[in-house]
Amino acid sequence: MLKAWHLPVAPFVKARQERLSITLWLRGDNLPARVTLRAEQDNEELTLPMHRLRRSPHNGVVAWRGEIDLTQGQPRRRYSFKLLWENRQLWFSPQGFSRFPPAKLEQFALDLPDHGPQWVAEQVFYQIFPDRFARSQSRQHVRDAALRDWDEPLTAEGAGSTFYGGDLDGISEKLPYLKTLGVTALYLNPVFTAPSVHKYDTQDYRHVDPQFGGDEALLRLRHNTRQEGMRLILDGVFNHSGETHHWFDRHQRTGGGACHNPDSRWRDWYSFSDEGRALNWMGHPTLPKLDYRSPALVEEIYRGEDSIVRHWLREPWQMDGWRLDVVHMLGESGGAKNNLQHVAGITRAAKETQPEAYVFGEHFGDARQWLQADAEDAAMNYRGFTYPLWGFLANTDISYDPQQIDAQTCIAWMENYRAGLSHQQQLRMFNQLDSHDTARFKTLLGKDVARLPLAVIWLFTWPGVPCIYYGDEVGLDGNNDPFCRKPFPWDKRQQDEKLLALYQRMAKLRKSSKSLRHGACHVVYAEDNVVVFLRVWQQQRVLVAINRGDACEVVLEKTPLMAVSAWQDREGKGVIHDNILMLPAISATVWTGS
C-alpha cells in the first residue's frame, strides 16, 4: 500500500535564502514514476518539477524534493503534490490522497514571510470575567449592599445585574497565582463603562467602568502584567453599543442621542426602520446595532488617528490586542453588509498602531472566510476544536443536542478544518474547552466527568494557543449563562487540587516543548474510542494518546515520523513498546522523543 508523509515544518520544508525546499516522503511497492509540485504565483497555478532522491535503507522511504521561489508571489505559499504513473494519477494534500486536485483552500499552506504576531504561539491564555474572578483587598472591607456575598450562590433571576464585586485590582493581586498556574497572557471580558455585569452593553468605550476600579485600575493591571511578562487582551464590542451610550441615549439622560432625535449628529451611526425604530442585535433592545455606512462611525471605531481601536493599543495602555465580539455580524444597514471590509479595517488599524497586536474574532461558526482573507490573525476555535471535543468526549453539540461521534469522525472534523488554514494560523488559533458563552465543560460531561483530564491534555497538545476559562482549573462547574459565570472559589476546600496540578504540569510541559508550541500535527490513529497524534518539530516529537473507553491495546502503523531513539513518559500511565500502545481505561498519555 502506498503511504505518503509531509508536514509544513522541518525536516520537510526548509527556507534557504530565496528558495523554499519542499520534501515528500513515499513508501510502498508501486511508487509513482514522477511527482510534481502544485504551487501558485499570484493565484496562478504552477506545476513545478520534483526530483527523486535515493531510497532510505532504514525504512524504505523514497524522498522527492522540489523548490518554490520565495522572491515572487504572495506570502501564503499553498501547495500540494501530484503523483503520476503511466496511466493514472493521485493527489496528496493535508487530508490525504485524492483522485482529483484538492481545493485551492485545502492545500498545505505556509506563510513566508509570516506577518502575524510572533509571540502568540508561545502563550498560555487565561480568560477572566472580571466581576466574578477576584475582589481586591481594598474592596473586601467595604460594605456595599449592591454586592452579593462572594460565596452566595448565583441564581438565574436578575443575573445580568447581579454584582459580586470582582475588579481589576483583584486580578492584579492574583497574578502570582496565575503565574504558578503557568499563565502568560490574559483575555478580559469587557471592562469599559456599562450598566450590566457582563459589560457587552457599552456606555463609554473610552473609560473603564468604576465598578472595576476605573482607568487607574486598568493602568495598574497593565503595569503589573508587564512587570510579570504577561500579555493583556481587551474585548472589543464594536457590533453594537449599549442603549445608555450617549451616542444613542434611549433614556434621554444626556440629550442629543440618536434614539429619539432624527437630527442627532450620531443618528446615522445606527440603523432605523422606516417607522423610526432602532435595529438591534438579536432582538435585544438594549443593544442597538452600529451602522458602518457612517464614515464618522468608521473614523471613531477604527480608522481615525484617535479611534477607539488605536487608543487602547497606545501608551500608556499599550494593550497587546483585541478579541472582537460577534465580529462576523458587524456591518452596514443593520446587518453584516461589507463585513469583511470593516473587520479587515479594524485589524489594519490595530497593526498600524501596534504591529505585533493580536486580533482574533469570536466565531461560533466557520471562521475560515475571515482567516483566509487575513482579516484576522485567528479566531476563537469553536468549530475546529471545541465542538469536535464536545461531540467525542461529552456527546453533545453547541445547541446541547445529543451527538455521539467516534474517533474517526472527530478527527476528520478537526483535520478538515485545519486543512483550510496555514500552519502559522493553526498555531495562533484560540483553543478553549468552554467560555462565558457556553456551559462549563465539566458540567457537559455529566456522568462522564472522568474524561475531563483527557480534554485538558488535548487542550495543551493540539495545534493552537490554549486558553483556560477562569475556574476550570480548580473544577468550577456551571450550566449555560449565567451559571457558567460563577464567582471563582478561592476557598481551597472548594478546589480540585488534583485537576489544578494537571493544568500546572501541562502548562509547564508546553513551555518546555517547541513541538507543542510550533510543531506540525500528524494523526497516527483514530478509531472507535482512541485518538493518537504526533506533534513534530525538526527532530523533536511529542506523542499523545487519548482513550475515552475501556483499557485497550493499540497497534500503530509503523511510520518514519515515529523513529526516535526512545520515548519518555511525560504525563499519564499508558505504555509504549515499539509500535504497540497499552492504554488504561479513560486515559490520556503524553510521551516525548527525539
Side-chain angles (χ1 to χ4, degrees):
M1 181 183 291
L2 182 65
K3 297 290 181 181
W5 297 273
H6 176 82
L7 296 169
V9 294
F12 295 98
V13 297
K14 292 181 181 178
R16 295 170 176 162
Q17 297 176 335
E18 298 178 339
R19 312 290 293 179
L20 177 64
S21 172
I22 296 179
T23 303
L24 174 69
W25 290 355
L26 294 174
R27 186 170 67 191
D29 297 327
N30 186 17
L31 294 175
R34 192 159 55 96
V35 178
T36 60
L37 182 65
R38 183 275 184 205
E40 59 184 46
Q41 180 179 313
D42 298 328
N43 299 322
E44 177 68 17
E45 293 194 14
L46 301 177
T47 298
L48 304 175
M50 297 193 75
H51 306 286
R52 176 173 170 154
L53 308 180
R54 66 184 182 89
R55 185 189 297 264
S56 168
H58 304 295
N59 53 29
V61 166
V62 173
W64 289 77
R65 184 167 296 158
E67 288 189 337
I68 291 177
D69 183 356
L70 295 178
T71 65
Q72 302 183 61
Q74 301 304 305
R76 182 148 300 143
R77 315 293 172 169
R78 300 189 189 278
Y79 60 92
S80 56
F81 304 95
K82 186 180 184 181
L83 286 58
L84 292 150
W85 288 262
E86 183 179 347
N87 60 356
R88 66 187 181 97
Q89 61 181 245
L90 281 177
W91 291 79
F92 184 69
S93 68
Q95 296 186 80
F97 287 117
S98 170
R99 295 191 178 275
F100 55 86
K104 172 186 173 69
L105 299 178
E106 293 188 357
Q107 306 194 52
F108 294 105
L110 196 61
D111 294 330
L112 288 171
D114 174 22
H115 297 299
Q118 301 300 304
W119 56 271
V120 173
E122 302 286 341
Q123 308 307 309
V124 172
F125 269 87
Y126 193 84
Q127 178 190 348
I128 294 177
F129 193 83
D131 182 69
R132 306 289 165 77
F133 180 61
R135 193 187 290 178
S136 60
Q137 289 297 317
S138 61
R139 204 173 187 187
Q140 292 278 20
H141 307 295
V142 175
R143 297 187 65 83
D144 189 338
L147 298 184
R148 186 169 288 193
D149 185 80
W150 196 261
D151 296 318
E152 190 177 344
L154 183 64
T155 59
E157 187 176 350
S161 56
T162 299
F163 294 89
Y164 280 84
D167 54 11
L168 300 184
D169 284 332
I171 298 173
S172 284
E173 291 168 9
K174 297 300 183 182
L175 292 182
Y177 162 77
L178 294 173
K179 285 204 76 172
T180 64
L181 179 57
V183 168
T184 61
L186 304 182
Y187 149 49
L188 307 184
N189 286 110
V191 298
F192 304 127
T193 305
S196 71
V197 69
H198 55 71
K199 308 298 178 198
Y200 283 98
D201 49 347
T202 313
Q203 184 172 312
D204 185 345
Y205 287 99
R206 293 186 180 269
H207 291 287
V208 175
D209 199 299
Q211 293 165 325
F212 293 157
D215 295 356
E216 296 77 12
L218 184 59
L219 276 174
R220 288 190 290 271
L221 178 60
R222 174 73 286 200
H223 171 77
N224 294 332
T225 52
R226 291 171 86 174
Q227 288 286 101
E228 298 289 356
M230 286 185 180
R231 303 282 183 161
L232 186 57
I233 300 288
L234 296 182
D235 205 331
V237 188
F238 305 134
N239 170 69
H240 52 266
S241 76
E243 64 177 357
T244 61
H245 199 295
H246 72 267
W247 300 341
F248 193 75
D249 192 22
R250 182 185 298 279
H251 306 296
Q252 303 186 69
R253 291 172 180 162
T254 59
C259 182
H260 303 289
N261 184 359
D263 299 321
S264 170
R265 58 174 289 202
W266 301 293
R267 183 73 174 189
D268 69 343
W269 292 26
Y270 297 90
S271 297
F272 290 85
S273 68
D274 293 339
E275 296 77 29
R277 180 177 52 83
L279 304 185
N280 56 53
W281 178 71
M282 300 291 285
H284 297 286
T286 59
L287 305 176
K289 277 274 290 185
L290 293 167
D291 190 340
Y292 284 80
R293 281 184 303 176
S294 168
L297 175 68
V298 169
E299 288 290 304
E300 174 69 12
I301 296 293
Y302 68 84
R303 186 178 292 159
E305 274 304 302
D306 191 34
S307 67
I308 293 160
V309 167
R310 298 179 193 270
H311 173 79
W312 295 100
L313 298 179
R314 291 198 177 108
E315 290 284 8
W317 315 101
Q318 202 140 40
M319 297 300 162
D320 293 296
W322 288 101
R323 178 263 193 187
L324 302 178
D325 182 59
V326 291
V327 69
H328 52 286
M329 301 185 76
L330 175 153
E332 303 172 8
S333 305
K337 184 179 179 182
N338 290 326
N339 171 270
L340 207 56
Q341 166 191 324
H342 294 295
V343 177
I346 290 172
T347 300
R348 187 162 52 249
K351 304 290 186 181
E352 289 170 357
T353 311
Q354 169 66 274
E356 281 288 291
Y358 178 39
V359 182
F360 64 100
E362 178 202 23
H363 299 273
F364 274 88
D366 191 342
R368 288 174 292 186
Q369 174 185 347
W370 291 265
L371 299 172
Q372 289 161 351
D374 290 314
E376 302 166 349
D377 291 314
M380 299 182 79
N381 201 11
Y382 287 111
R383 184 62 65 96
F385 178 78
T386 312
Y387 295 177
L389 257 69
W390 281 22
F392 183 65
L393 295 176
N395 303 125
T396 189
D397 69 5
I398 186 59
S399 301
Y400 308 106
D401 292 325
Q403 180 182 43
Q404 296 192 8
I405 59 175
D406 57 16
Q408 296 98 314
T409 305
C410 176
I411 288 301
W413 186 347
M414 298 174 84
E415 292 290 84
N416 172 267
Y417 200 81
R418 283 203 310 130
L421 305 175
S422 73
H423 173 64
Q424 289 91 339
Q425 286 178 315
Q426 293 177 32
L427 299 179
R428 286 191 279 265
M429 291 296 279
F430 201 78
N431 292 344
Q432 292 184 277
L433 298 178
D434 46 30
S435 74
H436 66 291
D437 283 323
T438 74
R440 297 264 180 177
F441 188 69
K442 178 181 179 181
T443 297
L444 291 176
L445 285 169
K447 62 181 177 59
D448 293 317
V449 71
R451 294 176 176 178
L452 183 55
L454 283 59
V456 174
I457 289 172
W458 210 332
L459 174 67
F460 280 89
T461 54
W462 192 253
V465 57
C467 180
I468 306 163
Y469 181 42
Y470 82 98
D472 275 359
E473 75 277 14
V474 294
L476 190 59
D477 62 3
N479 229 315
N480 204 6
D481 176 18
F483 299 105
C484 55
R485 304 173 181 182
K486 293 178 181 177
F488 189 103
W490 289 108
D491 185 342
K492 288 188 179 298
R493 293 170 297 181
Q494 299 175 12
Q495 298 180 1
D496 185 336
E497 294 184 357
K498 190 175 179 182
L499 183 62
L500 175 61
L502 174 62
Y503 271 93
Q504 292 172 321
R505 292 195 305 273
M506 292 308 301
K508 186 176 181 180
L509 177 59
R510 191 175 190 276
K511 183 178 180 180
S512 71
S513 172
K514 193 112 179 181
S515 293
L516 292 181
R517 301 193 313 276
H518 295 279
C521 182
H522 174 71
V523 177
V524 183
Y525 183 93
E527 293 185 22
D528 196 15
N529 294 316
V530 178
V531 171
V532 183
F533 59 89
L534 273 171
R535 296 296 303 277
V536 176
W537 173 261
Q538 296 182 356
Q539 303 307 313
Q540 300 175 28
R541 302 288 184 269
V542 176
L543 183 66
V544 182
I546 310 284
N547 175 25
R548 72 177 181 185
D550 297 332
C552 63
E553 182 178 284
V554 172
V555 179
L556 302 179
E557 176 191 338
K558 291 192 174 182
T559 164
L561 287 176
M562 289 185 60
V564 300
S565 56
W567 290 106
Q568 180 183 355
D569 300 342
R570 298 302 299 269
E571 183 64 46
K573 297 182 178 179
V575 176
I576 183 169
H577 180 69
D578 291 333
N579 63 323
I580 300 174
L581 303 181
M582 280 75 78
L583 304 178
I586 313 177
S587 68
T589 308
V590 183
W591 299 268
T592 57
S594 59

